[in-house]
């Protein structure tokens, strides 16, 4: 990022841009060092780093003069963002990159049939709940209190501070009391509602899977992520916009033009939010707790109760046998968006993070099956006589695992976007997945699959070959050519796909796929996982 607008941004504001940029594909973002970064470093007991950076700013921590003078000469593409014209808005539902400007939201709600009533308004995230964010939102809360109103009836307002320091500072500076005065509940400094960790199971809209709308300053909003209800419409926005939605109780409310009703019946408009970039009295330390590590010796046994449903010793995955894959069945052909939330749901499942076998019971439960008109979490068993004949994806995958049947996943575009969730790769591997073949991958998930010894492949002709697997994929038996000699200099692997009916091969196709395995990653694959390789090297 460069330009005169950069100098107007706070350090935490730039952090939010970097963080949320990753949600729409900008996996790496770089800002030049600015005065606001120096102020932030000093405010967080790192003045020595700020001084060192100040000394190097001109030479190393800002764009070169010739780049500023003629950026088109140095960049492949330049996107101009005019901060004076940038309009507040909402992103969603179900994806963080679907933007609707604030002034267009009322029309869009009517056009799309979205529920206008806001059932929950959530301020939180490690990044989007900085002191500046919260102080600006609190200024709106104080305006509401001045006019004698609280959050709208039927709207739940929850605040998750971004850190222990932020929590302590907002309490000291009256921000927390400003929120609580209008009906907020302040939650723990944690992911909370973003990954389904909030008490919403008894809410009728969740129990009955009703369509409802929530607004959030958290980072992601994939279907069913927040509460397990696929009909919860989650819209991402700034903390200030969350607050305005909480007060009005409506998605269609535009704080720039619409009025609220005061306790005395008069109408008033919210003044633009105002807040401090940094706390004037510095950050409060919060609770300074440290729990020292237990004494640990190599080879020390860690006792885990065999009846535990929360903890289970992790067994190493088997190394690759050095041969081509054969007799591999297609578990599911995934249709459309399939994020790491679809592959490994959070919420109530998080209690099993230390028990891979139990956690694997949620594998791909959010995936839509292209062979069954998009039916979610339901597949046909490809092996005659193996029960269940059809069932949930984890049930059929477990049946394959128990019978020694290898399987693969066929995936659509951008498979595995979202959280960098290791279990979204570990669970399929645990259940016997040897390959995921996609039209394209989200970069981090592709790497995670490699780490767990699963081979990620991309169709060479994604707009043609994917559709072979959408018609009765339970009839298909797959073997490979090229895995045995896989290397970073031979980036292709072929799939030999036989369609078997009545015990006879009625059709055979060769599908060319590409891989991006580096030499190091091939080492992981051969060892069975990256951890296996590291362990063998340590020996």
């Amino acid at each position: 990022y460069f330009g005169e607008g950069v100098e107007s941004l706070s350090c935490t504001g730039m952090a939010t841009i970097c963080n949320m940029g990753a949600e729409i594909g900008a996996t790496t973002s770089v800002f030049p060092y600015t005065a606001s970064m120096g102020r932030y470093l000093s405010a967080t007991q790192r003045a020595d780093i700020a001084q060192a950076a100040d000394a190097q700013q001109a030479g190393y921590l800002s764009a070169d003069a010739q780049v500023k003078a003629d950026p088109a000469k140095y960049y492949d593409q330049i996107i101009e963002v005019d901060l004076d014209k940038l309009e507040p808005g909402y992103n969603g539902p179900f994806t963080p990159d679907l933007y609707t400007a604030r002034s267009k939201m009322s029309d869009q709600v009517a056009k799309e049939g979205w529920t206008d009533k806001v059932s929950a308004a959530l301020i939180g995230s490690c990044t989007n709940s900085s002191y500046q964010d919260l102080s600006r939102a609190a200024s709106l809360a104080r305006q509401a209190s001045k006019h004698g109103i609280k959050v709208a009836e039927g709207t739940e307002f929850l605040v998750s501070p971004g850190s222990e320091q932020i929590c302590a500072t907002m309490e000291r500076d009256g921000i927390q009391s400003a929120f609580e005065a209008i009906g907020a509940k302040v939650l723990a400094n944690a992911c909370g509602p973003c990954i389904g960790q909030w008490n919403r199971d008894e809410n009728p809209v969740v129990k009955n899977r009703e369509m409802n709308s929530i607004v959030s300053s958290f980072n992601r909003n994939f279907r069913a992520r927040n509460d397990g209800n696929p009909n919860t419409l989650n819209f991402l926005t700034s903390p200030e916009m969350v607050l305005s939605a909480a007060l009005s109780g409506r998605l269609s409310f535009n704080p720039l033009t619409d009025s609220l009703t005061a306790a005395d019946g008069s109408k008033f408009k919210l003044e633009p939010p105002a807040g401090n970039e940094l706390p004037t009295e510095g950050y409060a330390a919060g609770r300074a707790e440290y729990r020292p590590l237990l004494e640990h010796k190599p080879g020390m046994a860690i006792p885990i109760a065999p009846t535990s449903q929360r903890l289970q010793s992790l067994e190493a995955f088997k190394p690759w046998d050095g041969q081509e894959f054969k007799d591999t069945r297609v578990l599911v052909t995934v249709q459309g968006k399939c994020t790491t939330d679809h592959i490994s749901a959070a919420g109530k499942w998080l209690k099993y993070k230390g028990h891979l076998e139990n956690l694997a019971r949620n594998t791909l439960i959010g995936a839509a099956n292209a062979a069954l008109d998009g039916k979610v979490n339901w597949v046909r068993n490809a092996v005659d006589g193996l029960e269940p004949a059809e069932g949930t994806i984890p049930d059929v995958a477990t049946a394959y695992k128990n019978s020694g049947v290898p399987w693969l996943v066929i995936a659509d575009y951008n498979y595995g976007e979202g959280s960098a969730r290791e279990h979204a790769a570990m669970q399929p591997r645990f259940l016997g997945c040897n390959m995921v073949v996609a039209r394209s991958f989200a970069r981090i998930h592709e790497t995670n699959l490699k780490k767990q010894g699963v081979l990620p492949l991309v169709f060479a002709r994604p707009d043609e070959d994917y559709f072979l697997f959408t018609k009765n994929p339970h009839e298909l038996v797959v073997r490979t050519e090229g895995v045995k000699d896989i290397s970073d200099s031979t980036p292709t692997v072929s799939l030999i796909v036989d369609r078997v009916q009545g015990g006879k091969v009625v059709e055979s196709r060769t599908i060319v796929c590409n891989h991006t395995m580096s030499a190091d990653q091939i080492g992981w694959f051969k060892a069975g996982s990256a951890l296996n390789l590291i362990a063998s090297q340590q020996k």
Side-chain angles (χ1 to χ4, degrees):
Y1 291 93
F2 62 94
E4 59 188 27
V6 167
E7 296 297 330
S8 71
L9 299 174
S10 67
C11 180
T12 54
M14 286 184 270
T16 292
I17 291 172
C18 293
N19 194 45
M20 297 306 294
E23 305 299 337
I24 57 172
T27 55
T28 303
S29 297
V30 177
F31 276 96
Y33 178 75
T34 65
S36 68
M37 293 183 186
R39 291 192 296 271
Y40 183 81
L41 288 168
S42 296
T44 53
Q45 291 79 53
R46 290 174 284 185
D48 55 333
I49 298 177
Q51 292 170 2
D54 289 342
Q56 300 296 333
Q57 179 182 18
Y60 298 101
L61 300 179
S62 62
D64 294 331
Q66 60 267 39
V67 177
K68 291 181 180 178
D70 188 10
K73 182 179 178 181
Y74 297 91
Y75 291 101
D76 294 316
Q77 182 183 9
I78 297 174
I79 301 171
E80 184 173 348
V81 179
D82 189 334
L83 298 181
D84 289 334
K85 297 178 180 178
L86 193 62
E87 184 178 352
Y90 288 122
N91 282 40
F94 307 138
T95 185
D97 54 3
L98 180 62
Y99 166 75
T100 302
R102 176 63 277 171
S103 61
K104 307 293 184 184
M105 195 64 182
S106 181
D107 292 341
Q108 198 69 4
V109 167
K111 177 183 175 182
E112 299 293 338
W114 295 333
T115 301
D116 192 28
K117 173 63 182 175
V118 174
S119 63
L122 313 171
I123 290 178
S125 145
C126 54
T127 309
N128 309 327
S129 58
S130 69
Y131 186 85
Q132 183 182 46
D133 292 321
L134 296 180
S135 64
R136 288 168 61 86
S139 73
L140 299 181
R142 293 187 182 102
Q143 291 180 46
S145 292
K146 181 179 178 181
H147 289 88
I149 66 170
K150 297 188 175 185
V151 298
E153 185 176 354
T155 299
E156 189 175 19
F157 177 36
L158 305 177
V159 179
S160 302
S163 70
E164 173 60 20
Q165 278 197 163
I166 292 296
C167 182
T169 307
M170 66 180 268
E171 182 177 7
R172 182 199 67 193
D173 292 355
I175 294 174
Q176 179 171 326
S177 60
F179 289 146
E180 291 175 335
I182 62 169
K185 291 180 181 178
V186 178
L187 306 182
N189 317 323
C191 300
C194 184
I195 53 172
Q197 288 185 306
W198 54 321
N199 186 17
R200 210 178 192 225
D201 290 346
E202 297 305 312
N203 191 306
V205 299
V206 176
K207 293 181 70 173
N208 302 324
R209 296 206 161 192
E210 297 173 9
M211 181 184 290
N212 71 108
S213 295
I214 67 177
V215 297
S216 163
S217 73
F218 286 104
N219 304 59
R220 302 185 179 101
N221 59 344
F222 304 121
R223 188 186 295 271
R225 174 183 173 96
N226 297 103
D227 58 12
N229 179 7
N231 298 313
T232 292
L233 312 179
N234 182 341
F235 297 87
L236 303 181
T237 189
S238 67
E240 303 96 304
M241 290 294 292
V242 170
L243 204 292
S244 73
L247 294 172
S248 67
R250 294 186 289 116
L251 275 180
S252 58
F253 179 77
N254 186 347
L256 301 178
T257 58
D258 298 342
S259 298
L260 295 169
T261 302
D264 62 5
S266 62
K267 300 291 184 180
F268 74 98
K269 290 181 180 178
L270 293 169
E271 296 293 327
N276 295 324
E277 175 186 308
L278 297 166
T280 55
E281 297 180 27
Y283 286 99
R287 295 175 296 175
E289 293 183 354
Y290 171 71
R291 296 174 185 263
L293 297 176
L294 297 175
E295 182 182 358
H296 179 72
K297 298 177 181 178
M300 178 186 292
I302 300 175
I304 297 175
T307 57
S308 175
Q309 296 298 303
R310 301 283 292 270
L311 294 175
Q312 181 187 55
S313 294
L314 190 64
E315 296 183 6
F317 294 134
K318 291 182 179 179
W320 175 51
D321 63 7
Q323 303 302 310
E324 298 289 347
F325 293 135
K326 62 181 181 179
D327 298 325
T328 301
R329 311 311 292 256
V330 178
L331 175 66
V332 61
T333 299
V334 176
Q335 175 181 298
K337 183 185 285 290
C338 191
T339 72
T340 51
D341 282 287
H342 296 81
I343 305 167
S344 176
K348 63 181 182 181
W349 293 96
L350 291 174
K351 63 186 177 183
Y352 299 127
K353 276 272 190 170
H355 197 299
L356 183 55
E357 184 175 0
N358 282 345
L359 189 61
R361 301 204 313 263
N362 79 9
T363 302
L364 288 160
I365 61 174
N369 188 345
L372 296 177
D373 298 321
K375 189 172 183 178
V376 174
N377 190 28
W378 200 257
V379 292
R380 296 179 63 178
N381 196 318
V383 180
D384 291 338
L386 190 63
E387 295 295 331
E390 58 180 65
T392 67
I393 295 175
D395 281 351
V396 174
T398 300
Y400 289 165
K401 171 184 171 67
N402 293 338
S403 299
V405 177
W407 53 268
L408 59 80
V409 171
I410 301 296
D412 215 323
Y413 286 108
N414 205 26
Y415 180 76
E417 69 171 293
S419 306
R421 196 167 290 172
E422 291 277 2
H423 283 90
M426 292 177 69
Q427 291 169 220
R429 176 73 160 99
F430 174 78
L431 292 175
C433 178
N434 57 23
M435 291 180 284
V436 176
V437 187
R439 299 172 89 174
S440 70
F441 283 99
R443 178 184 58 83
I444 295 175
H445 183 65
E446 182 182 20
T447 300
N448 284 345
L449 288 170
K450 296 173 183 178
K451 287 181 181 178
Q452 303 304 333
V454 178
L455 179 62
L457 300 174
V458 176
F459 290 114
R461 302 185 307 168
D463 292 335
E464 300 174 36
D465 295 333
Y466 167 83
F467 293 99
L468 168 67
F469 298 88
T470 61
K471 180 182 178 182
N472 296 328
H474 65 284
E475 297 178 345
L476 303 178
V477 181
V478 181
R479 65 185 188 276
T480 63
E481 288 184 357
V483 172
K484 188 175 181 179
D485 300 315
I486 193 168
S487 74
D488 55 351
S489 60
T490 55
T492 61
V493 169
S494 294
L495 304 180
I496 313 303
V497 184
D498 294 333
R499 186 173 295 279
V500 179
Q501 297 174 347
K504 297 180 180 180
V505 177
V506 297
E507 178 188 11
S508 187
R509 294 269 298 275
T510 298
I511 306 295
V512 178
C513 299
N514 299 319
H515 75 80
T516 58
M517 302 277 277
S518 68
D520 287 343
Q521 292 166 345
I522 291 171
W524 302 343
F525 175 72
K526 290 180 176 180
S529 72
L531 280 178
N532 286 2
L533 181 63
I534 293 169
S536 67
Q537 291 172 338
Q538 289 180 338
K539 289 179 182 179

